Amino acid sequence: MAWTHRHLLGLEQLSAEDISYVLELAKGFREISLRPVRKVPTLQGKTAILAFFEPSTRTRVSFEMAAKRLSADTYAISSSGSSVVKGETLIDTIRNLEAMHIDLVVMRHKSSGAHHLLMKHTDTPIINAGDGYHEHPTQGLLDMLTIQEAKGDFKGLKVAIVGDITHSRVAHSNIIGLTKMGAEVHLCGPFSMVPQFIEDMGIREQVHVHPRVEAAIEGADVVMALRIQKERMPKHLFPSDREYAMYFGLNSKNIRLAREDAIIMHPGPINRGVEMSPDLADCGRS
């Protein structure tokens, strides 16, 4: 098949065939990172703008590194270093850059739907690197590639996603993408951090919400732990970090409810947040 989309705004717009195509393509390009000389001429002569209007380290560097390894020229802008601080609108900022004959905009923005708005006012292809707590499609695709390589196929897999579902754009992309590929998604988090009608984000009969973390994890092939998105939430959505960890944290006891060959995916080192208890480090799971 051929790629027919001009923009990558979310997994909601992609079919299962589109997702399979991207995952297969990614396997070929990943080999580039293992070469002594990590460079191919695929995007030689192309210019990519990395417009990150929200703080980022891993996503921004990942995009910049990928673009450079494909031989594209990259230019990074941020809110604090752009004319946005002087009152220029997002649309005017990108259209001014577009007048310089750019070929691609990779954008992260704090407002959900910012990329859909921009798409109506520019001819340049846009890749969504995260918008508010709407979607983070490239991270979702990366998670799916990891699962595919470990499990081979998505059909029939039980994937548990635990934590702050409401504010996690990664969770939203995963719910959409995984259900399209045939997996069952089981969600668990504080009642105040699991949105109503979340089942409707994927294929309804494939998305299940559980009040207890044990039910979500039991028999899971994949367990994803989400960090608490404190920068995007109002205060007092849960009583305390300690109580959150007690009822919704992963630990060496409850994680053993997952399948013996389950893969555990989490946002960083265990000591970065409260979503995992410290004794998870001793559970011996991959």
Side-chain angles (χ1 to χ4, degrees):
M1 65 168 289
W3 182 257
T4 59
H5 301 275
R6 185 166 182 79
H7 310 282
L8 178 56
L9 305 184
L11 298 191
E12 193 171 9
Q13 288 79 39
L14 303 187
S15 65
E17 291 74 20
D18 291 329
I19 294 172
S20 294
Y21 176 79
V22 172
L23 297 181
E24 195 60 36
L25 196 64
K27 294 175 185 176
F29 277 110
R30 191 180 62 173
E31 184 269 333
I32 297 167
S33 298
L34 304 176
R35 298 179 183 179
V37 178
R38 302 177 183 91
K39 200 88 165 179
V40 293
T42 307
L43 295 182
Q44 189 170 8
K46 302 295 184 181
T47 300
I49 298 295
L50 308 180
F52 278 69
F53 298 111
E54 191 179 44
S56 172
T57 300
R58 288 168 295 183
T59 301
R60 182 184 60 79
V61 172
S62 295
F63 269 108
E64 185 170 9
M65 190 175 292
K68 288 182 175 179
R69 287 181 178 177
L70 296 174
S71 298
D73 297 315
T74 63
Y75 298 90
I77 63 173
S78 63
S79 294
S80 59
S82 72
S83 294
V84 170
V85 297
K86 298 186 289 187
E88 186 175 77
T89 67
L90 169 64
I91 294 170
D92 285 343
T93 295
I94 300 303
R95 291 188 71 176
N96 277 321
L97 293 169
E98 190 176 36
M100 303 177 195
H101 305 291
I102 60 177
D103 299 289
L104 174 67
V105 174
V106 178
M107 188 173 78
R108 169 171 284 195
H109 202 281
K110 64 182 180 181
S111 298
S112 301
H115 300 72
H116 290 78
L117 172 65
L118 183 61
M119 178 189 68
K120 299 175 182 178
H121 298 275
T122 179
D123 295 325
T124 303
I126 302 166
I127 294 179
N128 183 357
D131 62 323
Y133 44 86
H134 172 231
E135 272 211 60
H136 193 342
T138 57
Q139 182 62 58
L141 289 167
L142 178 60
D143 289 344
M144 294 175 71
L145 181 63
T146 300
I147 294 169
Q148 186 184 61
E149 292 185 336
K151 298 298 181 181
D153 193 8
F154 297 98
K155 287 183 172 58
L157 288 183
K158 178 179 179 179
V159 181
I161 304 179
V162 180
D164 181 7
I165 310 295
T166 294
H167 302 96
S168 175
R169 51 197 174 200
V170 175
H172 299 165
S173 287
N174 275 317
I175 292 167
I176 294 167
L178 287 166
T179 55
K180 285 186 177 185
M181 300 303 288
E184 285 197 2
V185 178
H186 294 253
L187 308 172
C188 182
F191 181 76
S192 57
M193 295 160 71
V194 178
Q196 289 186 325
F197 313 115
I198 188 69
E199 294 95 339
D200 294 335
M201 287 197 62
I203 300 172
R204 188 176 181 86
E205 45 293 353
Q206 293 174 226
V207 182
H208 312 274
V209 177
H210 302 275
R212 294 181 58 83
V213 69
E214 291 82 4
I217 295 173
E218 186 171 11
D221 301 283
V222 181
V223 180
M224 295 184 181
L226 305 173
R227 74 177 181 87
I228 301 172
Q229 308 269 330
K230 290 185 177 180
E231 72 276 15
R232 294 196 185 95
M233 66 170 65
K235 295 181 179 179
H236 312 305
L237 285 185
F238 56 94
S240 68
D241 289 356
R242 186 181 185 87
E243 186 167 317
Y244 178 93
M246 182 184 302
Y247 290 103
F248 300 100
L250 302 185
N251 55 56
S252 60
K253 183 178 179 180
N254 62 29
I255 202 65
R256 293 186 188 281
L257 295 171
R259 292 176 61 89
E260 189 64 33
D261 61 347
I263 60 172
I264 314 302
M265 306 172 71
H266 57 87
I270 291 171
N271 63 1
R272 285 186 59 226
V274 299
E275 49 275 6
M276 291 189 182
S277 298
D279 62 347
L280 183 60
D282 301 323
C283 74
R285 305 301 292 268
S286 61

